[in-house]
Coordinates of all heavy atoms in Angstrom, one line a residue:
M11 N 39.9 -22.8 -26.6 CA 39.3 -23.0 -25.3 C 39.1 -21.6 -24.6 O 38.2 -21.4 -23.9 CB 40.1 -24.0 -24.5 CG 39.5 -24.4 -23.2 SD 37.9 -25.2 -23.5 CE 37.7 -26.0 -22.0
S12 N 40.1 -20.8 -24.7 CA 40.1 -19.5 -24.1 C 39.0 -18.6 -24.6 O 38.4 -17.8 -23.9 CB 41.5 -18.8 -24.3 OG 41.5 -17.5 -23.8
D13 N 38.7 -18.7 -25.9 CA 37.6 -17.9 -26.5 C 36.3 -18.3 -25.9 O 35.4 -17.5 -25.7 CB 37.6 -18.1 -28.1 CG 38.8 -17.5 -28.7 OD1 39.4 -16.5 -28.1 OD2 39.1 -17.9 -29.9
L14 N 36.1 -19.6 -25.7 CA 34.8 -20.1 -25.1 C 34.7 -19.6 -23.7 O 33.6 -19.1 -23.3 CB 34.8 -21.6 -25.2 CG 33.5 -22.3 -24.6 CD1 32.3 -21.9 -25.4 CD2 33.7 -23.8 -24.6
H15 N 35.7 -19.6 -23.0 CA 35.7 -19.1 -21.6 C 35.4 -17.6 -21.5 O 34.6 -17.1 -20.7 CB 37.0 -19.4 -20.9 CG 37.1 -19.0 -19.5 ND1 36.3 -19.5 -18.5 CD2 37.9 -18.0 -18.8 CE1 36.5 -18.9 -17.3 NE2 37.5 -18.0 -17.5
K16 N 36.0 -16.9 -22.5 CA 35.8 -15.4 -22.6 C 34.3 -15.1 -22.9 O 33.7 -14.3 -22.3 CB 36.7 -14.8 -23.6 CG 36.6 -13.3 -23.7 CD 37.6 -12.8 -24.7 CE 37.5 -11.3 -24.9 NZ 38.3 -10.8 -25.9
E17 N 33.8 -15.9 -23.9 CA 32.4 -15.7 -24.3 C 31.4 -16.0 -23.1 O 30.4 -15.3 -22.9 CB 32.1 -16.6 -25.5 CG 30.7 -16.4 -26.1 CD 30.5 -17.2 -27.3 OE1 31.5 -17.6 -28.0 OE2 29.3 -17.4 -27.7
V18 N 31.7 -17.1 -22.4 CA 30.8 -17.5 -21.3 C 30.9 -16.4 -20.2 O 29.9 -16.0 -19.6 CB 31.2 -18.8 -20.7 CG1 30.6 -19.1 -19.4 CG2 30.9 -19.9 -21.7
S19 N 32.1 -15.8 -20.0 CA 32.2 -14.8 -19.0 C 31.4 -13.5 -19.4 O 30.8 -12.9 -18.6 CB 33.7 -14.4 -19.0 OG 34.3 -14.6 -17.8
E20 N 31.5 -13.2 -20.7 CA 30.7 -12.0 -21.2 C 29.2 -12.2 -21.0 O 28.5 -11.3 -20.6 CB 31.1 -11.7 -22.6 CG 32.5 -11.2 -22.8 CD 32.9 -11.0 -24.3 OE1 32.0 -11.3 -25.1 OE2 34.0 -10.6 -24.5
L21 N 28.7 -13.4 -21.3 CA 27.3 -13.7 -21.2 C 26.9 -13.7 -19.7 O 25.8 -13.2 -19.4 CB 27.0 -15.1 -21.8 CG 27.0 -15.1 -23.3 CD1 26.8 -16.6 -23.8 CD2 25.9 -14.2 -23.9
E22 N 27.7 -14.2 -18.8 CA 27.4 -14.1 -17.4 C 27.3 -12.7 -16.9 O 26.4 -12.3 -16.1 CB 28.4 -14.9 -16.6 CG 28.3 -16.4 -16.7 CD 29.4 -17.1 -15.9 OE1 30.4 -16.5 -15.5 OE2 29.2 -18.3 -15.7
Q23 N 28.2 -11.8 -17.4 CA 28.2 -10.4 -17.1 C 26.9 -9.7 -17.6 O 26.3 -9.0 -16.8 CB 29.4 -9.7 -17.6 CG 29.5 -8.2 -17.3 CD 29.7 -8.0 -15.8 OE1 30.3 -8.9 -15.1 NE2 29.4 -6.8 -15.3
K24 N 26.5 -10.0 -18.8 CA 25.3 -9.5 -19.4 C 24.1 -9.9 -18.6 O 23.1 -9.2 -18.3 CB 25.1 -9.8 -20.8 CG 26.1 -9.1 -21.7 CD 25.9 -9.5 -23.2 CE 26.9 -8.8 -24.1 NZ 26.8 -9.3 -25.5
S25 N 24.1 -11.2 -18.2 CA 22.9 -11.7 -17.4 C 22.8 -11.0 -16.0 O 21.8 -10.7 -15.6 CB 23.1 -13.2 -17.2 OG 22.1 -13.8 -16.4
A26 N 24.0 -10.8 -15.4 CA 24.0 -10.1 -14.1 C 23.5 -8.7 -14.2 O 22.7 -8.2 -13.4 CB 25.4 -10.1 -13.5
T27 N 23.9 -8.0 -15.3 CA 23.4 -6.7 -15.5 C 21.9 -6.6 -15.8 O 21.2 -5.8 -15.2 CB 24.2 -6.1 -16.7 OG1 25.6 -6.1 -16.5 CG2 23.7 -4.6 -17.0
A28 N 21.4 -7.6 -16.6 CA 20.0 -7.6 -16.8 C 19.2 -7.9 -15.6 O 18.1 -7.4 -15.3 CB 19.7 -8.7 -17.9
A29 N 19.7 -8.8 -14.7 CA 19.0 -9.2 -13.5 C 18.9 -7.9 -12.6 O 17.9 -7.7 -11.9 CB 19.7 -10.3 -12.8
R30 N 20.0 -7.1 -12.5 CA 19.9 -5.9 -11.6 C 19.0 -4.9 -12.3 O 18.3 -4.2 -11.5 CB 21.3 -5.4 -11.4 CG 22.1 -6.2 -10.4 CD 23.4 -5.5 -10.1 NE 24.4 -5.4 -11.2 CZ 25.2 -6.3 -11.6 NH1 25.3 -7.4 -10.9 NH2 26.0 -6.2 -12.6
L31 N 19.1 -4.7 -13.6 CA 18.3 -3.7 -14.2 C 16.8 -4.0 -14.1 O 16.0 -3.0 -13.9 CB 18.7 -3.7 -15.7 CG 18.0 -2.6 -16.6 CD1 18.3 -1.2 -16.1 CD2 18.3 -2.8 -18.0
F32 N 16.4 -5.2 -14.2 CA 14.9 -5.5 -14.1 C 14.5 -6.0 -12.8 O 13.5 -6.8 -12.7 CB 14.6 -6.5 -15.2 CG 14.7 -5.9 -16.6 CD1 15.8 -6.3 -17.4 CD2 13.9 -4.9 -17.0 CE1 15.9 -5.7 -18.7 CE2 14.0 -4.4 -18.3 CZ 15.0 -4.8 -19.1
D33 N 15.2 -5.7 -11.7 CA 14.8 -6.0 -10.4 C 13.5 -5.3 -10.1 O 13.3 -4.1 -10.3 CB 15.9 -5.6 -9.4 CG 15.6 -6.1 -8.0 OD1 14.5 -6.7 -7.7 OD2 16.5 -6.0 -7.1
I34 N 12.5 -6.1 -9.6 CA 11.1 -5.6 -9.4 C 11.1 -4.4 -8.4 O 10.3 -3.6 -8.4 CB 10.2 -6.7 -9.0 CG1 8.7 -6.3 -9.1 CG2 10.4 -7.2 -7.6 CD1 8.2 -6.1 -10.5
R35 N 12.1 -4.4 -7.4 CA 12.1 -3.4 -6.4 C 12.4 -2.0 -7.1 O 11.9 -1.0 -6.7 CB 13.2 -3.7 -5.4 CG 12.8 -4.9 -4.6 CD 13.9 -5.3 -3.6 NE 15.1 -5.7 -4.4 CZ 16.2 -6.1 -3.9 NH1 16.4 -6.1 -2.5 NH2 17.2 -6.5 -4.6
R36 N 13.2 -2.0 -8.1 CA 13.6 -0.8 -8.8 C 12.3 -0.3 -9.5 O 12.0 0.9 -9.5 CB 14.7 -1.0 -9.9 CG 15.0 0.2 -10.6 CD 16.1 -0.1 -11.7 NE 17.2 -0.9 -11.2 CZ 18.4 -0.5 -10.8 NH1 18.6 0.8 -10.8 NH2 19.3 -1.3 -10.4
I37 N 11.6 -1.1 -10.2 CA 10.4 -0.7 -10.9 C 9.3 -0.2 -9.9 O 8.7 0.9 -10.1 CB 9.8 -1.9 -11.8 CG1 10.9 -2.2 -12.8 CG2 8.5 -1.5 -12.4 CD1 10.6 -3.6 -13.5
I38 N 9.0 -1.0 -8.9 CA 8.0 -0.6 -7.9 C 8.4 0.7 -7.2 O 7.6 1.7 -7.1 CB 7.7 -1.7 -6.9 CG1 7.0 -2.9 -7.6 CG2 6.9 -1.2 -5.7 CD1 6.9 -4.1 -6.7
G39 N 9.6 0.8 -6.7 CA 10.1 2.0 -6.0 C 10.1 3.2 -6.9 O 9.6 4.3 -6.5
G40 N 10.5 3.1 -8.2 CA 10.5 4.2 -9.1 C 9.1 4.7 -9.4 O 8.8 5.9 -9.4
L41 N 8.2 3.8 -9.6 CA 6.8 4.2 -9.8 C 6.2 4.9 -8.6 O 5.5 5.9 -8.8 CB 5.9 3.0 -10.3 CG 6.2 2.5 -11.7 CD1 5.4 1.2 -11.9 CD2 5.8 3.6 -12.7
F42 N 6.4 4.3 -7.4 CA 5.8 4.9 -6.2 C 6.4 6.3 -6.0 O 5.7 7.2 -5.6 CB 6.0 4.0 -5.0 CG 4.9 3.1 -4.7 CD1 4.9 1.8 -5.1 CD2 3.7 3.6 -4.1 CE1 3.8 1.0 -4.9 CE2 2.6 2.8 -3.9 CZ 2.7 1.5 -4.3
V43 N 7.7 6.5 -6.3 CA 8.3 7.8 -6.1 C 7.7 8.8 -7.1 O 7.3 9.9 -6.7 CB 9.8 7.8 -6.2 CG1 10.4 9.1 -6.3 CG2 10.4 7.1 -5.0
V44 N 7.6 8.4 -8.3 CA 7.0 9.3 -9.4 C 5.6 9.7 -9.0 O 5.2 10.9 -9.0 CB 7.1 8.7 -10.8 CG1 6.3 9.5 -11.8 CG2 8.6 8.6 -11.2
Y45 N 4.8 8.7 -8.8 CA 3.4 9.0 -8.4 C 3.2 9.7 -7.1 O 2.3 10.5 -6.9 CB 2.5 7.7 -8.4 CG 2.3 7.1 -9.8 CD1 2.4 5.7 -10.0 CD2 2.0 7.9 -10.9 CE1 2.2 5.2 -11.3 CE2 1.9 7.4 -12.2 CZ 2.0 6.0 -12.3 OH 1.8 5.4 -13.6
G46 N 4.1 9.4 -6.2 CA 4.1 10.1 -4.9 C 4.4 11.6 -5.0 O 3.7 12.4 -4.4
V47 N 5.3 11.9 -5.9 CA 5.6 13.3 -6.2 C 4.4 14.0 -6.8 O 4.0 15.1 -6.4 CB 6.9 13.5 -7.1 CG1 7.0 14.9 -7.6 CG2 8.1 13.1 -6.3
I48 N 3.8 13.4 -7.8 CA 2.6 14.0 -8.4 C 1.5 14.2 -7.5 O 0.9 15.3 -7.4 CB 2.2 13.1 -9.6 CG1 3.2 13.1 -10.7 CG2 0.8 13.5 -10.2 CD1 3.0 12.0 -11.8
V49 N 1.2 13.2 -6.6 CA 0.0 13.3 -5.7 C 0.3 14.3 -4.6 O -0.5 15.0 -4.2 CB -0.3 11.9 -5.1 CG1 -1.4 12.0 -4.1 CG2 -0.8 11.0 -6.3
T50 N 1.6 14.3 -4.2 CA 2.0 15.3 -3.1 C 1.8 16.7 -3.6 O 1.3 17.6 -2.9 CB 3.4 15.1 -2.6 OG1 3.5 13.7 -2.1 CG2 3.8 16.0 -1.6
I51 N 2.3 17.0 -4.9 CA 2.1 18.3 -5.5 C 0.6 18.7 -5.6 O 0.2 19.8 -5.3 CB 2.8 18.4 -6.8 CG1 4.4 18.3 -6.6 CG2 2.4 19.6 -7.6 CD1 5.2 18.2 -7.9
A52 N -0.2 17.7 -6.0 CA -1.6 17.9 -6.1 C -2.2 18.2 -4.7 O -3.2 18.9 -4.6 CB -2.3 16.8 -6.7
G53 N -1.7 17.7 -3.6 CA -2.2 17.8 -2.3 C -1.7 19.0 -1.5 O -2.2 19.3 -0.5
I54 N -0.7 19.7 -2.1 CA -0.2 20.9 -1.3 C -1.2 22.0 -1.2 O -1.3 22.6 -0.2 CB 1.1 21.4 -2.0 CG1 2.2 20.3 -1.8 CG2 1.5 22.7 -1.5 CD1 3.5 20.6 -2.4
N55 N -1.9 22.3 -2.3 CA -2.9 23.4 -2.2 C -4.2 22.9 -2.8 O -4.6 23.2 -3.9 CB -2.4 24.5 -3.1 CG -3.2 25.8 -2.9 OD1 -4.0 25.9 -1.9 ND2 -3.0 26.8 -3.7
P56 N -5.0 22.1 -1.9 CA -6.2 21.5 -2.4 C -7.3 22.6 -2.5 O -7.3 23.6 -1.8 CB -6.6 20.5 -1.4 CG -6.0 21.0 -0.1 CD -4.7 21.7 -0.6
S57 N -8.3 22.3 -3.4 CA -9.4 23.2 -3.5 C -10.4 23.0 -2.3 O -10.3 22.0 -1.6 CB -10.2 23.0 -4.8 OG -10.8 21.7 -4.8
D58 N -11.3 23.9 -2.1 CA -12.3 23.8 -1.0 C -13.2 22.6 -1.3 O -13.6 21.9 -0.3 CB -13.1 25.0 -0.9 CG -12.3 26.2 -0.4 OD1 -11.3 26.0 0.3 OD2 -12.7 27.4 -0.7
A59 N -13.5 22.3 -2.6 CA -14.3 21.1 -2.9 C -13.6 19.8 -2.5 O -14.3 18.9 -2.0 CB -14.7 21.2 -4.4
D60 N -12.3 19.8 -2.8 CA -11.6 18.6 -2.5 C -11.5 18.3 -1.0 O -11.7 17.2 -0.5 CB -10.1 18.7 -3.0 CG -10.0 18.5 -4.5 OD1 -11.0 18.0 -5.1 OD2 -9.0 19.0 -5.1
L61 N -11.3 19.4 -0.2 CA -11.3 19.3 1.3 C -12.7 18.9 1.8 O -12.7 18.1 2.7 CB -10.9 20.6 1.9 CG -9.4 20.9 1.9 CD1 -9.1 22.3 2.4 CD2 -8.6 19.8 2.6
K62 N -13.7 19.4 1.2 CA -15.1 19.1 1.6 C -15.3 17.6 1.4 O -15.9 16.9 2.2 CB -16.1 19.9 0.9 CG -17.5 19.7 1.4 CD -18.5 20.7 0.8 CE -19.9 20.4 1.3 NZ -20.9 21.3 0.7
K63 N -14.9 17.1 0.2 CA -15.1 15.7 -0.1 C -14.4 14.8 0.9 O -14.8 13.7 1.2 CB -14.7 15.3 -1.5 CG -15.7 15.7 -2.6 CD -15.3 15.1 -3.9 CE -14.2 15.9 -4.6 NZ -13.9 15.4 -6.0
A64 N -13.2 15.2 1.3 CA -12.4 14.4 2.2 C -12.6 14.7 3.7 O -11.8 14.4 4.5 CB -10.9 14.6 1.9
Q65 N -13.7 15.5 4.0 CA -14.0 15.8 5.3 C -12.9 16.6 6.0 O -12.6 16.4 7.2 CB -14.5 14.6 6.1 CG -15.7 13.9 5.6 CD -16.1 12.7 6.3 OE1 -15.3 12.2 7.2 NE2 -17.2 12.1 6.0
G66 N -12.3 17.5 5.3 CA -11.3 18.4 5.9 C -9.9 17.8 6.0 O -9.0 18.4 6.4
V67 N -9.7 16.5 5.5 CA -8.4 15.9 5.6 C -7.6 16.2 4.2 O -8.2 16.1 3.2 CB -8.5 14.4 5.8 CG1 -7.2 13.7 5.8 CG2 -9.3 14.1 7.1
H68 N -6.4 16.5 4.3 CA -5.6 16.7 3.1 C -5.1 15.3 2.6 O -4.0 15.0 2.7 CB -4.4 17.6 3.5 CG -4.7 19.0 3.7 ND1 -4.6 20.0 2.8 CD2 -5.2 19.6 4.9 CE1 -5.0 21.1 3.3 NE2 -5.3 20.9 4.6
I69 N -6.1 14.6 2.1 CA -5.8 13.2 1.7 C -4.8 13.0 0.6 O -4.0 12.1 0.7 CB -7.2 12.5 1.3 CG1 -7.0 11.0 1.3 CG2 -7.7 13.0 0.0 CD1 -6.9 10.4 2.6
N70 N -4.8 13.9 -0.4 CA -3.8 13.8 -1.4 C -2.4 14.0 -0.9 O -1.4 13.4 -1.3 CB -4.0 14.8 -2.6 CG -5.2 14.3 -3.4 OD1 -5.5 13.2 -3.5 ND2 -5.8 15.3 -4.2
L71 N -2.2 15.0 0.0 CA -0.9 15.3 0.6 C -0.4 14.1 1.4 O 0.7 13.6 1.2 CB -1.0 16.5 1.5 CG 0.3 16.9 2.2 CD1 1.3 17.3 1.2 CD2 0.0 18.0 3.2
W72 N -1.3 13.5 2.3 CA -0.8 12.4 3.1 C -0.6 11.1 2.3 O 0.3 10.4 2.5 CB -1.9 12.1 4.2 CG -1.9 13.2 5.2 CD1 -2.8 14.1 5.5 CD2 -0.8 13.5 6.1 NE1 -2.4 15.0 6.5 CE2 -1.2 14.6 6.9 CE3 0.5 13.0 6.4 CZ2 -0.4 15.2 7.9 CZ3 1.3 13.5 7.3 CH2 0.9 14.6 8.1
T73 N -1.5 10.9 1.3 CA -1.3 9.7 0.4 C 0.0 9.9 -0.4 O 0.8 8.9 -0.6 CB -2.5 9.6 -0.5 OG1 -3.6 9.4 0.3 CG2 -2.3 8.3 -1.4
G74 N 0.3 11.1 -0.9 CA 1.5 11.3 -1.7 C 2.7 11.1 -0.9 O 3.7 10.5 -1.3
L75 N 2.7 11.6 0.4 CA 3.9 11.4 1.3 C 4.1 9.9 1.6 O 5.2 9.5 1.6 CB 3.7 12.3 2.5 CG 3.8 13.8 2.3 CD1 3.4 14.5 3.6 CD2 5.2 14.2 1.8
A76 N 3.0 9.2 1.8 CA 3.1 7.8 2.1 C 3.7 7.0 0.9 O 4.5 6.1 1.0 CB 1.7 7.2 2.5
M77 N 3.2 7.4 -0.3 CA 3.8 6.8 -1.5 C 5.3 7.1 -1.7 O 6.0 6.2 -2.1 CB 3.0 7.3 -2.8 CG 1.6 6.8 -2.8 SD 0.6 7.5 -4.1 CE 1.2 6.6 -5.5
L78 N 5.7 8.3 -1.4 CA 7.1 8.7 -1.4 C 7.9 7.8 -0.5 O 9.0 7.3 -0.8 CB 7.3 10.1 -1.1 CG 7.1 11.1 -2.3 CD1 7.1 12.6 -1.7 CD2 8.1 10.9 -3.3
V79 N 7.4 7.7 0.8 CA 8.1 6.9 1.8 C 8.2 5.4 1.3 O 9.3 4.8 1.4 CB 7.4 7.0 3.1 CG1 7.9 5.9 4.1 CG2 7.6 8.4 3.7
L80 N 7.1 4.9 0.8 CA 7.2 3.5 0.3 C 8.1 3.3 -0.9 O 8.9 2.4 -0.9 CB 5.8 3.0 -0.1 CG 5.7 1.6 -0.5 CD1 6.0 0.6 0.6 CD2 4.3 1.2 -1.0
G81 N 8.1 4.2 -1.8 CA 9.0 4.2 -3.0 C 10.5 4.3 -2.5 O 11.3 3.5 -3.0
L82 N 10.7 5.2 -1.6 CA 12.1 5.3 -1.1 C 12.6 4.1 -0.4 O 13.7 3.7 -0.4 CB 12.2 6.6 -0.3 CG 12.1 7.9 -1.0 CD1 12.1 9.1 -0.1 CD2 13.3 8.0 -2.0
F83 N 11.6 3.5 0.4 CA 11.9 2.2 1.1 C 12.4 1.1 0.1 O 13.4 0.5 0.3 CB 10.7 1.7 1.8 CG 10.8 0.3 2.3 CD1 11.7 0.0 3.4 CD2 10.2 -0.7 1.7 CE1 11.8 -1.3 3.8 CE2 10.3 -2.0 2.1 CZ 11.1 -2.3 3.2
F84 N 11.7 1.0 -1.0 CA 12.0 0.0 -2.0 C 13.4 0.3 -2.6 O 14.2 -0.6 -2.9 CB 11.0 -0.1 -3.1 CG 9.9 -1.1 -2.8 CD1 8.7 -0.6 -2.3 CD2 10.0 -2.4 -3.0 CE1 7.7 -1.5 -2.0 CE2 9.0 -3.3 -2.7 CZ 7.8 -2.8 -2.2
L85 N 13.7 1.6 -2.9 CA 14.9 1.9 -3.6 C 16.1 1.8 -2.6 O 17.2 1.4 -3.0 CB 14.9 3.4 -4.1 CG 13.9 3.5 -5.3 CD1 13.8 5.0 -5.7 CD2 14.2 2.7 -6.5
I86 N 15.9 2.1 -1.3 CA 17.0 1.9 -0.3 C 17.2 0.4 -0.1 O 18.4 0.0 0.0 CB 16.6 2.6 1.0 CG1 16.6 4.1 0.8 CG2 17.5 2.2 2.1 CD1 16.1 4.9 1.9
W87 N 16.1 -0.4 -0.1 CA 16.3 -1.8 0.0 C 17.1 -2.4 -1.1 O 18.0 -3.2 -1.0 CB 14.9 -2.4 0.1 CG 14.8 -3.9 0.2 CD1 15.7 -4.8 0.7 CD2 13.7 -4.7 -0.2 NE1 15.3 -6.1 0.6 CE2 14.0 -6.1 0.1 CE3 12.4 -4.4 -0.7 CZ2 13.1 -7.1 -0.1 CZ3 11.6 -5.5 -0.9 CH2 11.9 -6.8 -0.6
L88 N 16.8 -1.9 -2.3 CA 17.6 -2.3 -3.5 C 19.0 -2.0 -3.4 O 19.9 -2.8 -3.7 CB 17.0 -1.7 -4.8 CG 17.7 -1.9 -6.1 CD1 17.5 -3.3 -6.5 CD2 17.2 -1.0 -7.1
K89 N 19.3 -0.8 -2.8 CA 20.7 -0.3 -2.7 C 21.5 -1.2 -1.6 O 22.6 -1.5 -1.8 CB 20.7 1.1 -2.4 CG 22.1 1.8 -2.3 CD 22.6 1.9 -3.7 CE 23.9 2.7 -3.6 NZ 24.5 2.8 -4.9
L90 N 20.8 -1.4 -0.5 CA 21.4 -2.2 0.6 C 21.6 -3.7 0.3 O 22.5 -4.3 0.7 CB 20.6 -2.0 1.9 CG 20.6 -0.5 2.4 CD1 19.7 -0.5 3.7 CD2 22.0 -0.1 2.7
R91 N 20.6 -4.3 -0.4 CA 20.7 -5.7 -0.7 C 20.5 -5.9 -2.2 O 19.4 -6.2 -2.7 CB 19.6 -6.4 0.1 CG 19.6 -6.1 1.5 CD 19.8 -7.1 2.5 NE 20.2 -8.4 2.1 CZ 19.9 -9.5 2.8 NH1 19.2 -9.4 3.9 NH2 20.3 -10.7 2.4
P92 N 21.5 -5.7 -3.0 CA 21.4 -5.8 -4.5 C 21.0 -7.3 -4.9 O 21.3 -8.2 -4.1 CB 22.7 -5.4 -5.0 CG 23.6 -5.4 -3.9 CD 22.9 -5.3 -2.6
A93 N 20.4 -7.4 -6.0 CA 20.0 -8.7 -6.5 C 21.2 -9.6 -6.8 O 22.2 -9.1 -7.4 CB 19.2 -8.6 -7.8
E94 N 21.1 -10.9 -6.4 CA 22.2 -11.8 -6.8 C 21.7 -12.6 -7.9 O 20.6 -13.1 -8.0 CB 22.4 -12.7 -5.6 CG 23.0 -12.0 -4.4 CD 23.2 -12.9 -3.2 OE1 23.2 -14.2 -3.4 OE2 23.4 -12.4 -2.1
V95 N 22.6 -12.9 -8.9 CA 22.3 -13.7 -10.0 C 22.3 -15.1 -9.6 O 23.3 -15.6 -9.1 CB 23.3 -13.4 -11.2 CG1 23.0 -14.2 -12.4 CG2 23.3 -11.9 -11.5
P96 N 21.3 -15.9 -9.9 CA 21.3 -17.3 -9.5 C 22.3 -18.1 -10.3 O 22.5 -17.8 -11.5 CB 19.8 -17.7 -9.8 CG 19.3 -16.7 -10.7 CD 20.0 -15.5 -10.5
A97 N 22.9 -19.1 -9.7 CA 23.8 -19.9 -10.4 C 23.1 -20.8 -11.4 O 22.0 -21.2 -11.2 CB 24.6 -20.8 -9.4
D98 N 23.7 -21.0 -12.6 CA 23.1 -21.8 -13.6 C 23.2 -23.3 -13.3 O 24.3 -23.7 -12.7 CB 23.7 -21.5 -15.0 CG 23.3 -20.1 -15.5 OD1 22.3 -19.6 -15.0 OD2 24.1 -19.6 -16.3
G99 N 22.2 -24.1 -13.6 CA 22.3 -25.5 -13.4 C 21.9 -25.9 -12.0 O 21.9 -25.1 -11.1
P100 N 21.7 -27.3 -11.9 CA 21.4 -27.8 -10.6 C 22.6 -27.8 -9.6 O 23.7 -27.9 -10.0 CB 20.9 -29.2 -10.9 CG 21.6 -29.6 -12.1 CD 21.7 -28.3 -12.9
D101 N 22.3 -27.7 -8.3 CA 23.3 -27.7 -7.3 C 23.7 -29.1 -7.0 O 22.8 -30.0 -6.7 CB 22.8 -27.0 -6.1 CG 23.8 -26.8 -5.0 OD1 25.0 -27.0 -5.3 OD2 23.5 -26.4 -3.9
P102 N 25.0 -29.5 -7.1 CA 25.4 -30.9 -6.9 C 25.1 -31.3 -5.5 O 24.9 -32.5 -5.2 CB 26.9 -30.9 -7.2 CG 27.3 -29.5 -7.6 CD 26.1 -28.7 -7.5
A103 N 25.0 -30.4 -4.5 CA 24.7 -30.8 -3.1 C 23.3 -31.2 -2.9 O 22.9 -31.9 -2.0 CB 25.0 -29.6 -2.2
D104 N 22.4 -30.8 -3.9 CA 21.0 -31.2 -3.7 C 20.7 -32.7 -4.1 O 19.6 -33.1 -3.9 CB 20.1 -30.3 -4.6 CG 20.0 -28.9 -4.1 OD1 20.3 -28.7 -2.9 OD2 19.7 -28.0 -4.8
G105 N 21.6 -33.3 -4.7 CA 21.4 -34.7 -4.9 C 21.4 -35.0 -6.3 O 21.0 -35.8 -7.1

């Protein structure tokens, strides 16, 4: 009986780890941060043709910074409110 309890405990731990690892906020936040860095670097020193196309606005710089802010928001949200693993089976209080 103890072996079964130990095995169930290990599976629950693995499930919790997988739930935290594949939290969509981590994926979205990470991608926005990576792309934000790339676009911000591209927008730091734009060419004259790029500025002319954007009517004088440093669009890559502003878009990259916005992407960085959004990505950091998702990652901070993940840190402050980590994913909870749902309980297995139906809730007896539901009927």
